[in-house]
PDB file of all heavy atoms in Angstrom:
ATOM      1  N   SER A 825      -5.947   0.857 -28.984  1.00 96.00           N
ATOM      2  CA  SER A 825      -7.265   0.486 -29.502  1.00 96.00           C
ATOM      3  C   SER A 825      -8.348   1.408 -28.961  1.00 96.00           C
ATOM      4  O   SER A 825      -9.241   1.845 -29.708  1.00 96.00           O
ATOM      5  CB  SER A 825      -7.567  -0.967 -29.125  1.00 96.00           C
ATOM      6  OG  SER A 825      -8.852  -1.334 -29.568  1.00 96.00           O
ATOM      7  N   ARG A 826      -8.276   1.735 -27.669  1.00 96.00           N
ATOM      8  CA  ARG A 826      -9.279   2.634 -27.088  1.00 96.00           C
ATOM      9  C   ARG A 826      -9.148   4.054 -27.648  1.00 96.00           C
ATOM     10  O   ARG A 826     -10.164   4.716 -27.913  1.00 96.00           O
ATOM     11  CB  ARG A 826      -9.125   2.651 -25.565  1.00 96.00           C
ATOM     12  CG  ARG A 826     -10.201   3.458 -24.836  1.00 96.00           C
ATOM     13  CD  ARG A 826     -11.603   2.928 -25.080  1.00 96.00           C
ATOM     14  NE  ARG A 826     -11.784   1.633 -24.459  1.00 96.00           N
ATOM     15  CZ  ARG A 826     -12.301   1.462 -23.245  1.00 96.00           C
ATOM     16  NH1 ARG A 826     -12.687   2.513 -22.537  1.00 96.00           N
ATOM     17  NH2 ARG A 826     -12.463   0.247 -22.762  1.00 96.00           N
ATOM     18  N   LEU A 827      -7.930   4.523 -27.854  1.00 96.00           N
ATOM     19  CA  LEU A 827      -7.739   5.864 -28.440  1.00 96.00           C
ATOM     20  C   LEU A 827      -8.258   5.904 -29.878  1.00 96.00           C
ATOM     21  O   LEU A 827      -8.873   6.904 -30.292  1.00 96.00           O
ATOM     22  CB  LEU A 827      -6.257   6.246 -28.416  1.00 96.00           C
ATOM     23  CG  LEU A 827      -5.632   6.514 -27.042  1.00 96.00           C
ATOM     24  CD1 LEU A 827      -4.208   7.025 -27.208  1.00 96.00           C
ATOM     25  CD2 LEU A 827      -6.447   7.520 -26.242  1.00 96.00           C
ATOM     26  N   ARG A 828      -8.046   4.841 -30.621  1.00 96.00           N
ATOM     27  CA  ARG A 828      -8.555   4.782 -31.992  1.00 96.00           C
ATOM     28  C   ARG A 828     -10.086   4.805 -32.007  1.00 96.00           C
ATOM     29  O   ARG A 828     -10.697   5.445 -32.871  1.00 96.00           O
ATOM     30  CB  ARG A 828      -8.051   3.511 -32.683  1.00 96.00           C
ATOM     31  CG  ARG A 828      -6.638   3.634 -33.231  1.00 96.00           C
ATOM     32  CD  ARG A 828      -6.439   2.608 -34.339  1.00 96.00           C
ATOM     33  NE  ARG A 828      -5.104   2.695 -34.904  1.00 96.00           N
ATOM     34  CZ  ARG A 828      -4.147   1.813 -34.709  1.00 96.00           C
ATOM     35  NH1 ARG A 828      -4.361   0.779 -33.914  1.00 96.00           N
ATOM     36  NH2 ARG A 828      -2.969   1.938 -35.288  1.00 96.00           N
ATOM     37  N   ASP A 829     -10.697   4.101 -31.076  1.00 96.00           N
ATOM     38  CA  ASP A 829     -12.171   4.104 -30.977  1.00 96.00           C
ATOM     39  C   ASP A 829     -12.705   5.508 -30.753  1.00 96.00           C
ATOM     40  O   ASP A 829     -13.693   5.916 -31.372  1.00 96.00           O
ATOM     41  CB  ASP A 829     -12.626   3.192 -29.834  1.00 96.00           C
ATOM     42  CG  ASP A 829     -12.462   1.722 -30.176  1.00 96.00           C
ATOM     43  OD1 ASP A 829     -12.291   1.409 -31.374  1.00 96.00           O
ATOM     44  OD2 ASP A 829     -12.496   0.897 -29.246  1.00 96.00           O
ATOM     45  N   ARG A 830     -12.038   6.234 -29.867  1.00 95.00           N
ATOM     46  CA  ARG A 830     -12.500   7.611 -29.567  1.00 95.00           C
ATOM     47  C   ARG A 830     -12.271   8.527 -30.764  1.00 95.00           C
ATOM     48  O   ARG A 830     -13.091   9.408 -31.060  1.00 95.00           O
ATOM     49  CB  ARG A 830     -11.777   8.155 -28.331  1.00 95.00           C
ATOM     50  CG  ARG A 830     -11.939   7.322 -27.081  1.00 95.00           C
ATOM     51  CD  ARG A 830     -13.398   7.036 -26.769  1.00 95.00           C
ATOM     52  NE  ARG A 830     -14.035   8.146 -26.090  1.00 95.00           N
ATOM     53  CZ  ARG A 830     -15.352   8.348 -26.076  1.00 95.00           C
ATOM     54  NH1 ARG A 830     -16.144   7.546 -26.767  1.00 95.00           N
ATOM     55  NH2 ARG A 830     -15.861   9.369 -25.427  1.00 95.00           N
ATOM     56  N   LEU A 831     -11.156   8.334 -31.482  1.00 94.00           N
ATOM     57  CA  LEU A 831     -10.889   9.139 -32.671  1.00 94.00           C
ATOM     58  C   LEU A 831     -11.903   8.819 -33.767  1.00 94.00           C
ATOM     59  O   LEU A 831     -12.401   9.728 -34.453  1.00 94.00           O
ATOM     60  CB  LEU A 831      -9.463   8.883 -33.171  1.00 94.00           C
ATOM     61  CG  LEU A 831      -9.027   9.712 -34.397  1.00 94.00           C
ATOM     62  CD1 LEU A 831      -9.050  11.205 -34.073  1.00 94.00           C
ATOM     63  CD2 LEU A 831      -7.641   9.289 -34.870  1.00 94.00           C
ATOM     64  N   ASN A 832     -12.237   7.540 -33.922  1.00 95.00           N
ATOM     65  CA  ASN A 832     -13.251   7.150 -34.912  1.00 95.00           C
ATOM     66  C   ASN A 832     -14.610   7.764 -34.593  1.00 95.00           C
ATOM     67  O   ASN A 832     -15.343   8.182 -35.493  1.00 95.00           O
ATOM     68  CB  ASN A 832     -13.382   5.627 -34.971  1.00 95.00           C
ATOM     69  CG  ASN A 832     -12.176   4.973 -35.620  1.00 95.00           C
ATOM     70  OD1 ASN A 832     -11.454   5.612 -36.396  1.00 95.00           O
ATOM     71  ND2 ASN A 832     -11.936   3.704 -35.315  1.00 95.00           N
ATOM     72  N   TYR A 833     -14.931   7.819 -33.318  1.00 94.00           N
ATOM     73  CA  TYR A 833     -16.203   8.433 -32.923  1.00 94.00           C
ATOM     74  C   TYR A 833     -16.225   9.916 -33.327  1.00 94.00           C
ATOM     75  O   TYR A 833     -17.224  10.422 -33.854  1.00 94.00           O
ATOM     76  CB  TYR A 833     -16.415   8.300 -31.416  1.00 94.00           C
ATOM     77  CG  TYR A 833     -17.705   8.933 -30.945  1.00 94.00           C
ATOM     78  CD1 TYR A 833     -18.895   8.220 -30.972  1.00 94.00           C
ATOM     79  CD2 TYR A 833     -17.733  10.262 -30.498  1.00 94.00           C
ATOM     80  CE1 TYR A 833     -20.086   8.800 -30.565  1.00 94.00           C
ATOM     81  CE2 TYR A 833     -18.910  10.855 -30.084  1.00 94.00           C
ATOM     82  CZ  TYR A 833     -20.085  10.114 -30.121  1.00 94.00           C
ATOM     83  OH  TYR A 833     -21.267  10.700 -29.724  1.00 94.00           O
ATOM     84  N   ILE A 834     -15.105  10.593 -33.100  1.00 92.00           N
ATOM     85  CA  ILE A 834     -15.027  12.018 -33.468  1.00 92.00           C
ATOM     86  C   ILE A 834     -15.182  12.182 -34.978  1.00 92.00           C
ATOM     87  O   ILE A 834     -15.919  13.061 -35.443  1.00 92.00           O
ATOM     88  CB  ILE A 834     -13.682  12.612 -32.989  1.00 92.00           C
ATOM     89  CG1 ILE A 834     -13.612  12.616 -31.457  1.00 92.00           C
ATOM     90  CG2 ILE A 834     -13.508  14.037 -33.516  1.00 92.00           C
ATOM     91  CD1 ILE A 834     -12.246  12.980 -30.902  1.00 92.00           C
ATOM     92  N   GLU A 835     -14.490  11.340 -35.748  1.00 92.00           N
ATOM     93  CA  GLU A 835     -14.558  11.437 -37.212  1.00 92.00           C
ATOM     94  C   GLU A 835     -15.977  11.224 -37.740  1.00 92.00           C
ATOM     95  O   GLU A 835     -16.431  11.937 -38.631  1.00 92.00           O
ATOM     96  CB  GLU A 835     -13.609  10.411 -37.839  1.00 92.00           C
ATOM     97  CG  GLU A 835     -12.135  10.748 -37.652  1.00 92.00           C
ATOM     98  CD  GLU A 835     -11.227   9.664 -38.206  1.00 92.00           C
ATOM     99  OE1 GLU A 835     -11.744   8.571 -38.531  1.00 92.00           O
ATOM    100  OE2 GLU A 835     -10.015   9.904 -38.308  1.00 92.00           O
ATOM    101  N   HIS A 836     -16.691  10.250 -37.161  1.00 92.00           N
ATOM    102  CA  HIS A 836     -18.037   9.932 -37.648  1.00 92.00           C
ATOM    103  C   HIS A 836     -19.094  10.926 -37.180  1.00 92.00           C
ATOM    104  O   HIS A 836     -20.175  11.021 -37.782  1.00 92.00           O
ATOM    105  CB  HIS A 836     -18.442   8.521 -37.211  1.00 92.00           C
ATOM    106  CG  HIS A 836     -17.664   7.444 -37.901  1.00 92.00           C
ATOM    107  ND1 HIS A 836     -17.040   6.413 -37.227  1.00 92.00           N
ATOM    108  CD2 HIS A 836     -17.376   7.251 -39.214  1.00 92.00           C
ATOM    109  CE1 HIS A 836     -16.429   5.631 -38.098  1.00 92.00           C
ATOM    110  NE2 HIS A 836     -16.603   6.123 -39.307  1.00 92.00           N
ATOM    111  N   ASN A 837     -18.801  11.659 -36.109  1.00 91.00           N
ATOM    112  CA  ASN A 837     -19.808  12.564 -35.556  1.00 91.00           C
ATOM    113  C   ASN A 837     -19.383  14.027 -35.594  1.00 91.00           C
ATOM    114  O   ASN A 837     -20.047  14.872 -34.997  1.00 91.00           O
ATOM    115  CB  ASN A 837     -20.125  12.167 -34.107  1.00 91.00           C
ATOM    116  CG  ASN A 837     -20.813  10.825 -34.015  1.00 91.00           C
ATOM    117  OD1 ASN A 837     -22.028  10.720 -34.174  1.00 91.00           O
ATOM    118  ND2 ASN A 837     -20.027   9.779 -33.759  1.00 91.00           N
ATOM    119  N   PHE A 838     -18.278  14.309 -36.298  1.00 87.00           N
ATOM    120  CA  PHE A 838     -17.785  15.687 -36.347  1.00 87.00           C
ATOM    121  C   PHE A 838     -18.807  16.585 -37.042  1.00 87.00           C
ATOM    122  O   PHE A 838     -19.263  16.292 -38.147  1.00 87.00           O
ATOM    123  CB  PHE A 838     -16.448  15.739 -37.091  1.00 87.00           C
ATOM    124  CG  PHE A 838     -15.684  17.007 -36.843  1.00 87.00           C
ATOM    125  CD1 PHE A 838     -15.093  17.243 -35.621  1.00 87.00           C
ATOM    126  CD2 PHE A 838     -15.560  17.970 -37.838  1.00 87.00           C
ATOM    127  CE1 PHE A 838     -14.383  18.407 -35.387  1.00 87.00           C
ATOM    128  CE2 PHE A 838     -14.857  19.132 -37.617  1.00 87.00           C
ATOM    129  CZ  PHE A 838     -14.269  19.360 -36.385  1.00 87.00           C
TER     130      PHE A 838
END
Side-chain angles (χ1 to χ4, degrees):
S825 178
R826 185 60 68 94
L827 291 186
R828 278 203 179 108
D829 287 344
R830 302 308 279 158
L831 182 62
N832 289 337
Y833 179 86
I834 294 171
E835 289 176 349
H836 291 130
N837 293 277
F838 197 72

